[in-house]
């Protein structure tokens, strides 16, 4: 079978750029993207530059760096970033590159340091990034000129976002003002990490995000999740099939109880959805859970006996937050789950899941780790399988973009946002004459 023209990337740098631009400009709304968006190393390089090096990226939660000197490292393409709490308690972010000869400074995913010491020539930096020791240098050497290169950082309700661009999107303050009230009551900054899981999926990062943005596949594909996740999610009321009407009535009853509990606890719950048309696309709402309505467990009951923050009930459903391009969260009365994806290659993506519980919750006493994590470990494994099948499919010469179903509107919004960001980056690059 001959490869269709839209599934080819021409050889040669200029031809490649022209072909990428042609496919960007030719995107058909309401349809999935042509194959090269998911398979081409050239498109992957464009994604890293235009998306992951230019927008706000979720990196970690404050709970992952609870004490001064605690750090996590995050690799984004060829970038590596240190997220660290400095001696004054502030969250800082630095490029993981020594200012001497460029050596990688910290290689562990997590840890704690007094100072950041380069293992090559022992240049030493404070957690705040200041160079404090560089051995013997030539006269006139000024250590103040060789601090670690900083990365823009923004903490929102205990969630740490970074931007690799020196001119990050300015709408982050607007987004923060909307979403922080939804999650502040859960006191993410005061929680602790109960578990963390890394899963490498053999699929393009966009397929991972697209899969997350729809529940068209949930009823058949996620038996554990649908124990507490209403199967009517994503349907407009007038579109709900007759077979799902009993589930919809359960949902309406649960929503009424949820709203009463939220209003008593001062928690907003209305849907706010701005997935396209702005640099930092997001969606947030608080919705009821099925079953006992308390948490993401097999029967919907709380996974931890300790409430987060000052909340007075476990029946608070889920505050679900999605921020493009790489993250989604669920905050319940008893625990919070954060998800982030990091692109590794055109056909490989790291998905990191972290479970947070109250700081005074004790494993084996207040929560059982298997009960806490089972639903999302199983769901992640199932989603990885679906995404890998999708990657195989879009890599076939027989693949042609297909239409999104009505329940996949958020997928279409994500792809619309993605194309907007590619065009904005191209325009900015052209204006600089690059």
């Amino acid at each position: 079978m001959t490869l269709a023209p839209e599934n080819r990337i021409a050889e040669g740098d200029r031809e490649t750029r022209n072909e990428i631009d042609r496919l960007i400009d030719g995107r058909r709304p309401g349809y999935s993207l042509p194959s090269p968006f998911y398979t081409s190393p050239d498109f992957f390089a464009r994604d890293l530059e235009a998306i992951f090096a230019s927008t706000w990226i979720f990196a970690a939660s404050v709970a992952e760096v609870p004490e001064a000197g605690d750090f996590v490292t995050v690799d984004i393409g060829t970038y590596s970033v240190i997220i660290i709490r400095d001696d004054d308690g502030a969250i800082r972010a630095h490029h993981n590159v020594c200012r001497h000869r460029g050596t990688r400074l910290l290689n562990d995913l997590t840890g704690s340091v007094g100072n950041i010491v380069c293992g090559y020539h022992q240049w030493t930096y404070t957690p705040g990034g200041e160079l404090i020791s560089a051995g013997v240098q030539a006269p006139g050497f000024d250590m103040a000129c060789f601090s670690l290169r900083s990365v823009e950082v923004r903490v929102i309700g205990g969630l740490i976002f970074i931007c690799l661009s020196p001119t990050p999107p300015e709408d982050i303050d607007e987004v923060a003002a909307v979403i922080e009230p939804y999650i502040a009551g859960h006191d993410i900054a005061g929680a602790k990490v109960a578990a963390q899981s890394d899963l490498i999926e053999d699929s393009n990062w966009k397929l991972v995000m697209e899969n997350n943005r729809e529940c068209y596949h949930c009823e058949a594909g996620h038996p554990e999740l649908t124990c507490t996740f209403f199967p009517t999610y994503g349907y407009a009321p007038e579109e709900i099939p007759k077979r799902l009407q009993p589930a919809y009535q359960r949902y309406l009853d649960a929503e009424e109880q949820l709203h009463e509990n939220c209003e008593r606890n001062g928690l907003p719950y209305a849907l706010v959805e701005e997935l396209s048309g702005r640099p930092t696309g997001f969606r947030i709402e608080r919705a009821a859970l099925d079953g006992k309505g308390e948490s993401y467990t097999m029967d919907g009951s709380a996974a931890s006996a300790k409430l987060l923050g000052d909340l007075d009930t476990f029946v608070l459903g889920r505050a679900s937050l999605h921020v493009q391009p790489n993250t989604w969260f669920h905050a319940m009365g008893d625990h919070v789950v954060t998800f982030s994806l990091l692109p590794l290659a055109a056909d490989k993506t790291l998905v990191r899941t972290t479970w947070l519980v109250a700081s005074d919750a004790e494993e084996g006493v207040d929560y059982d780790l298997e009960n806490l994590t089972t639903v999302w470990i199983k769901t992640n494994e199932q989603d990885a399988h679906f995404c890998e099948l999708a990657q195989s499919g879009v890599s076939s010469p027989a693949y042609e973009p297909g239409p999104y179903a009505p329940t996949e509107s958020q997928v279409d919004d994500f792809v619309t946002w993605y194309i907007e960001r590619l065009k904005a980056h191209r325009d900015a690059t052209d204006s600089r004459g690059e």
Side-chain angles (χ1 to χ4, degrees):
M1 179 180 290
T2 302
L3 195 65
E6 68 176 4
N7 287 347
R8 291 199 301 264
I9 284 290
E11 294 181 355
D13 289 344
R14 180 172 296 179
E15 290 182 55
T16 298
R17 288 196 299 270
N18 290 342
E19 185 69 359
I20 288 174
D21 288 339
R22 185 187 71 79
L23 289 171
I24 291 171
D25 292 333
R27 188 256 163 158
R28 185 180 181 185
Y31 279 70
S32 59
L33 295 167
S35 178
F37 283 92
Y38 305 111
T39 61
S40 163
D42 296 302
F43 253 112
F44 181 72
R46 179 74 68 96
D47 285 357
L48 290 178
E49 181 180 349
I51 306 297
F52 285 88
S54 302
T55 61
W56 288 99
I57 306 298
F58 173 68
S61 68
V62 171
E64 295 173 61
V65 286
E67 304 292 339
D70 289 349
F71 72 86
V72 299
T73 58
V74 178
D75 292 341
I76 304 169
T78 54
Y79 292 93
S80 180
V81 178
I82 300 167
I83 312 296
I84 191 167
R85 189 184 288 270
D86 70 16
D87 294 335
D88 296 324
I91 304 299
R92 305 288 294 272
H94 314 292
H95 286 282
N96 194 8
V97 178
C98 184
R99 293 298 307 279
H100 178 211
R101 287 165 55 187
T103 304
R104 178 71 60 88
L105 292 165
L106 298 177
N107 294 302
D108 293 336
L109 176 62
T110 65
S112 185
V113 295
N115 290 307
I116 301 169
V117 182
C118 180
Y120 197 2
H121 298 101
Q122 307 303 299
W123 279 37
T124 303
Y125 307 85
T126 68
E130 296 83 9
L131 178 64
I132 56 175
S133 178
V136 178
Q137 297 296 329
F141 177 79
D142 185 358
M143 286 196 294
C145 296
F146 293 93
S147 297
L148 294 179
R149 291 187 59 191
S150 64
V151 173
E152 296 288 338
V153 62
R154 185 73 159 79
V155 179
I156 304 174
L159 305 174
I160 304 169
F161 292 82
I162 60 173
C163 185
L164 298 170
S165 171
T167 55
E170 296 179 355
D171 68 338
I172 191 66
D173 290 335
E174 297 174 0
V175 174
V178 173
I179 67 178
E180 196 152 19
Y182 285 77
I183 57 178
H186 296 266
D187 190 23
I188 293 172
K192 71 174 183 180
V193 176
Q196 187 171 80
S197 171
D198 281 359
L199 178 64
I200 295 178
E201 301 188 11
D202 293 324
S203 56
N204 184 267
W205 71 273
K206 294 186 291 295
L207 291 176
V208 177
M209 288 299 288
E210 290 178 30
N211 174 77
N212 176 259
R213 289 298 82 212
E214 52 92 355
C215 221
Y216 190 11
H217 68 285
C218 288
E219 187 177 6
H222 294 316
E224 293 82 10
L225 182 62
T226 53
C227 289
T228 54
F229 206 67
F230 286 95
T232 53
Y233 175 77
Y235 284 92
E238 66 276 8
E239 297 171 346
I240 295 173
K242 184 176 180 180
R243 63 186 173 83
L244 294 180
Q245 287 297 329
Y248 185 58
Q249 186 58 53
R250 287 202 317 275
Y251 165 75
L252 292 177
D253 294 341
E255 281 282 285
E256 183 178 359
Q257 180 64 59
L258 172 67
H259 295 173
E260 292 178 7
N261 292 345
C262 286
E263 288 165 7
R264 190 177 63 254
N265 281 270
L267 299 173
Y269 50 79
L271 168 64
V272 181
E273 184 173 279
E274 299 182 18
L275 292 172
S276 60
R278 61 156 59 245
T280 308
F282 75 99
R283 183 185 193 276
I284 190 165
E285 69 172 337
R286 188 178 295 271
L289 290 170
D290 207 350
K292 291 190 177 180
E294 297 176 340
S295 199
Y296 272 126
T297 56
M298 295 298 292
D299 64 357
S301 61
S304 173
K306 298 286 188 177
L307 282 163
L308 294 170
D310 294 324
L311 302 174
D312 70 3
T313 178
F314 289 105
V315 185
L316 291 169
R318 56 179 175 87
S320 294
L321 168 64
H322 167 80
V323 184
Q324 292 162 180
N326 83 316
T327 191
W328 56 98
F329 313 86
H330 298 297
M332 283 72 64
D334 68 321
H335 76 281
V336 173
V337 192
T338 72
F339 305 81
S340 64
L341 66 80
L342 299 170
L344 303 177
D347 59 353
K348 201 171 295 292
T349 303
L350 170 66
V351 175
R352 177 166 296 151
T353 308
T354 306
W355 289 262
L356 307 174
V357 297
S359 60
D360 60 346
E362 296 182 35
E363 182 181 352
V365 176
D366 298 305
Y367 65 94
D368 174 78
L369 199 58
E370 182 177 359
N371 184 47
L372 178 74
T373 60
T374 289
V375 167
W376 284 111
I377 285 178
K378 294 290 187 182
T379 300
N380 286 347
E381 291 171 349
Q382 293 152 1
D383 280 335
H385 176 65
F386 293 139
C387 291
E388 288 161 12
L389 291 177
Q391 184 71 33
S392 296
V394 299
S395 300
S396 168
Y399 166 71
E400 295 180 355
Y404 294 127
T407 57
E408 296 174 298
S409 61
Q410 291 180 43
V411 183
D412 192 29
D413 288 338
F414 163 68
V415 174
T416 297
W417 173 89
Y418 166 70
I419 294 295
E420 290 172 352
R421 293 299 92 213
L422 291 182
K423 290 180 177 179
H425 178 266
R426 182 180 62 189
D427 291 345
T429 301
D430 290 346
S431 68
R432 293 193 299 265
E434 297 177 10

